[in-house]
């Protein structure tokens, strides 16, 4: 099994490879642009101030004491900066980073190379840690607590267990669902940090900052329009910005004015709240097929022919946050605000009507 990424603070090749290559003057690929837009240092990160301050304090303390940073678990909807924190933290510590994904950790042997390769004080980031198999989870408990693992060598009657010491490392876990993390695993993280949606002002700062990185002329009001339609996430703010850039290049001599930004987003079906056609389809399915709810998310997922996890992790959080949808003990229900946003008349649904 190969490790996905390993790099260190002196690995200048990797650090600099996201700089635009002007000599070739070619259009960067989406992946290259993703790297260009991702903050490299914590000082470039916008928003999440409370989490940011706590993480900085922990880093400072670890550096002063010359000890490894305690394990940190980040949770929150996709695109809010879990990976960004995980990649910036080792840079602040001046150490190396390994990246693994919980979905590929099916047996203890899958995680062994990461653990044995971890340098003193380095960071091991496990994304989607809730997808790690139970056997792997139990295997890493002693690694997290005492920096040792029990390796089984040989098979059957000849099998013996060897206790192997590890270098002291920091585990950073990221999950979209803390609910799926077992209490024993959760408790082994010294810090547990929840990332919440960004305010439009914070997203507007990100849009302006990234427009500069992409060398795009943009109007402040246009940046705010993009921020307002980004469902509270920097990832979508970046995606929307790039789409608006393409639209401006193709249809409006490259300049991003508020009008151009709105036309571009309209063309992708992104509405005034930032919902895309898929978000609306989810709400509309509940309204049309299930009379507005309450309905179990699995039933909606089956009707839409999509995995329930996608709805729960990626679609629902922002709809809940925007009060377009609520979770009741009997399932999901579209709110009055949600019905109105979709153009339905709440009176046609089972809403308690005022008598007077
Ligand atoms: P997650 O791991 O939570 O899904 P990421 O860390 O991959 O989210 O963030 C997605 C993108 O959003 C990043 O590549 C980066 O460009 C941008 N981003 C995330 N957090 C911030 C932040 N605090 N400030 C500026 N940009 C951010």
């Amino acid at each position: 099994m190969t490790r996905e990424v390993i790099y260190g603070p002196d690995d200048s090749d990797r650090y600099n490879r996201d700089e635009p290559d002007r000599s070739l003057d070619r259009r960067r690929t989406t992946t290259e642009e993703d790297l260009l837009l991702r903050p490299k240092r914590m000082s470039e990160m916008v928003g999440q101030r409370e989490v940011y301050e706590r993480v900085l304090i922990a880093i400072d303390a670890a550096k002063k004491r010359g000890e490894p940073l305690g394990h940190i678990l980040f949770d929150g909807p996709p695109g809010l900066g879990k990976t960004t924190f995980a990649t910036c933290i080792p840079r602040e510590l001046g150490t190396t980073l390994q990246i693994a994904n919980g979905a590929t950790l099916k047996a203890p042997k899958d995680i062994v190379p990461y653990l044995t390769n971890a340098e003193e004080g380095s960071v091991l980031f496990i994304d989607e840690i809730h997808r790690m198999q139970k056997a792997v989870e139990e295997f890493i408990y002693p690694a997290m607590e005492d920096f040792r693992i029990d390796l089984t060598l040989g098979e059957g009657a000849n099998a013996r267990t060897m206790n192997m010491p590890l270098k002291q490392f920091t585990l950073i876990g990221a999950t979209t669902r803390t609910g799926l993390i077992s209490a024993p695993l959760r408790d082994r993280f010294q810090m547990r940090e929840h990332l919440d949606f960004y305010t439009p002002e914070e997203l507007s700062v990100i849009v302006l900052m990234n427009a500069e990185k992409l060398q795009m002329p943009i109007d402040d009001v246009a940046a705010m329009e993009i921020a307002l339609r980004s469902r509270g996430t920097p990832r979508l703010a970046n995606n929307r910005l790039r789409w608006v850039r393409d639209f401006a290049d193709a249809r409006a001599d490259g300049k991003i004015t508020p009008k151009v930004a709105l036309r571009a987003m309209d063309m992708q079906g992104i509405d005034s709240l930032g919902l895309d056609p898929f978000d609306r389809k989810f709400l509309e399915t509940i309204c049309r097929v299930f009379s507005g709810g309450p309905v179990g998310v699995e039933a909606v997922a089956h009707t839409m022919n999509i995995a329930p996890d996608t709805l729960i992790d990626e679609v629902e959080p922002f709809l809940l946050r925007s009060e377009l949808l609520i979770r009741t003990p009997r399932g999901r229900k579209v709110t009055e605000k949600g019905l109105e946003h979709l153009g339905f008349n709440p009176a046609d649904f089972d809403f308690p009507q005022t008598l007077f």
Side-chain angles (χ1 to χ4, degrees):
M1 153 129 195
T2 51
R3 279 164 291 129
E4 283 176 26
V5 179
I6 285 195
Y7 59 87
D10 299 325
D11 188 347
S12 50
D13 186 39
R14 202 174 262 280
Y15 272 82
N16 295 331
R17 78 168 189 200
D18 41 6
E19 290 298 320
D21 185 350
R22 298 196 207 293
S23 60
L24 290 173
D25 194 25
R26 62 187 162 83
R27 192 65 177 251
R28 288 176 292 265
T29 64
T30 311
T31 321
E32 282 170 334
E33 262 185 16
D34 280 345
L35 277 168
L36 171 67
L37 299 185
R38 190 190 289 286
K40 308 282 172 300
R41 306 296 306 220
M42 283 191 64
S43 56
E44 287 176 54
M45 293 184 73
V46 177
Q48 307 293 348
R49 283 305 95 174
E50 291 181 11
V51 176
Y52 181 92
E53 293 298 334
R54 283 193 292 267
V55 169
L56 265 194
I57 288 174
I59 291 175
D60 282 352
K63 274 171 123 172
K64 277 202 182 109
R65 288 199 298 264
E67 286 174 7
L69 179 71
H71 308 307
I72 310 180
L73 179 66
F74 288 107
D75 83 90
L80 294 191
K82 298 181 293 296
T83 308
T84 304
F85 266 108
T87 49
C88 287
I89 289 171
R91 288 197 178 95
E92 302 303 323
L93 291 167
T95 188
T96 53
L97 167 71
Q98 298 184 83
I99 302 181
N101 190 300
T104 63
L105 302 175
K106 298 192 186 320
K109 69 170 172 41
D110 297 330
I111 188 113
V112 168
Y114 293 95
L115 297 173
T116 53
N117 280 304
E119 296 169 10
E120 188 72 29
S122 67
V123 173
L124 167 58
F125 172 47
I126 306 185
D127 199 6
E128 298 195 88
I129 196 164
H130 60 274
R131 298 181 67 187
M132 200 164 67
Q133 290 298 313
K134 188 93 192 133
V136 183
E137 183 182 320
E138 286 169 1
F139 181 77
I140 63 168
Y141 290 162
M144 290 176 76
E145 251 171 359
D146 307 320
F147 303 107
R148 59 173 182 80
I149 43 175
D150 291 319
L151 285 179
T152 308
L153 303 174
E155 276 177 23
N158 295 325
R160 58 197 170 84
T161 309
M162 193 184 87
N163 194 270
M164 185 178 166
L166 302 171
K167 303 266 170 52
Q168 298 202 15
F169 67 98
T170 301
L171 180 65
I172 299 184
T175 177
T176 42
R177 297 235 221 131
T178 23
L180 293 184
I181 306 257
S182 74
L185 177 60
R186 216 173 38 233
D187 292 347
R188 282 173 170 82
F189 286 96
Q190 276 89 333
M191 288 177 81
R192 294 187 290 268
E193 295 293 351
H194 174 71
L195 301 188
D196 215 331
F197 289 109
Y198 291 59
T199 64
E201 290 72 24
E202 289 164 346
L203 290 174
S204 161
V205 172
I206 294 176
V207 169
L208 286 170
M209 190 173 85
N210 290 343
E212 204 176 313
K213 285 187 187 171
L214 297 170
Q215 300 173 324
M216 283 161 38
I218 191 168
D219 181 296
D220 283 9
V221 183
M224 187 45 110
E225 292 292 356
I226 294 172
L228 284 167
R229 294 185 182 213
S230 297
R231 293 168 98 260
T233 71
R235 179 175 291 141
L236 287 185
N238 288 344
N239 290 350
R240 310 257 201 262
L241 175 66
R242 287 189 286 193
W243 163 246
V244 173
R245 183 238 350 235
D246 289 351
F247 182 87
D249 280 349
R251 298 281 160 88
D253 14 313
K255 196 162 164 20
I256 303 181
T257 61
K259 211 168 136 200
V260 168
L262 291 178
R263 267 176 51 212
M265 287 185 287
D266 278 352
M267 205 170 161
Q268 273 203 336
I270 297 159
D271 66 28
S272 58
L273 295 179
L275 306 195
D276 61 24
F278 193 81
D279 296 319
R280 286 195 301 276
K281 188 174 170 203
F282 174 48
L283 293 174
E284 274 162 12
T285 304
I286 300 181
C287 294
R288 289 189 202 286
V289 186
F290 302 99
S291 320
V295 56
V297 71
E298 284 79 13
V300 188
H302 286 146
T303 306
M304 294 177 71
N305 199 14
I306 184 177
D309 282 0
T310 309
L311 289 182
I312 297 170
D313 291 344
E314 292 170 28
V315 185
E316 271 196 341
F318 183 73
L319 302 177
L320 293 166
R321 164 66 181 257
S322 312
E323 298 175 357
L324 299 169
L325 184 76
I326 47 167
R327 285 164 85 156
T328 73
R330 288 186 299 137
R332 275 57 171 180
K333 189 168 166 55
V334 178
T335 62
E336 211 168 328
K337 181 178 168 189
L339 291 170
E340 278 166 0
H341 182 70
L342 293 175
F344 289 109
N345 181 0
D348 296 340
F349 289 79
D350 183 21
F351 267 89
Q353 298 296 306
T354 39
L355 291 174
F356 304 104

